[in-house]
Amino acid sequence: SLSWFAGIIELGCGTLIFIGLFTRPAAFLASGTMAFAYWLAHAPRDLFPVNNGGDGAILYCFVFLYLVAAGPGPWSLDAIGSRRKYERDRP
C-alpha cells in the first residue's frame, strides 16, 4: 500500500540525511514524499494546513527543501569524502 512505500522512503531518506550521505537527493525525495502525502491525505479535507491537520507534512516538506538547497553540513559523510578527494588530488 502507499503507506508502506512512504514509510520505506522516509526511513531510508531519513537515515541517509542523518548520516549525511547523498543528502541532497535524499532530501529531495523526502520532500516530494511529504508534499505527496499532504495533497493526498490532508488537502481533500481542507486547503489550509491548520484546518486539515497537515501542518507537520508541510513543515517537513519545506525543511527537506531547505536541506536540498543548503546541502550537507561539514561533519557529513559527503563532506568528509569530498575533503579526502581534494587532499588526494592536490599536488
Side-chain angles (χ1 to χ4, degrees):
S1 71
L2 286 175
S3 61
W4 280 96
F5 288 124
I8 291 169
I9 289 172
E10 290 170 11
L11 182 65
C13 290
T15 304
L16 287 174
I17 292 169
F18 179 73
I19 63 175
L21 186 63
F22 304 117
T23 304
R24 289 179 195 253
F28 184 73
L29 184 61
S31 175
T33 304
M34 289 291 100
F36 182 75
Y38 176 78
W39 288 108
L40 188 72
H42 299 285
R45 285 188 244 154
D46 192 3
L47 187 61
F48 298 107
V50 175
N51 296 337
N52 65 19
D55 48 355
I58 292 293
L59 173 73
Y60 283 120
C61 178
F62 284 111
V63 166
F64 290 138
L65 273 180
Y66 170 75
L67 288 175
V68 171
W75 295 344
S76 67
L77 291 180
D78 286 337
I80 292 170
S82 66
R83 212 175 306 135
R84 287 185 182 159
K85 181 181 175 188
Y86 175 74
E87 292 171 357
R88 185 181 63 219
D89 292 341
R90 274 181 29 186

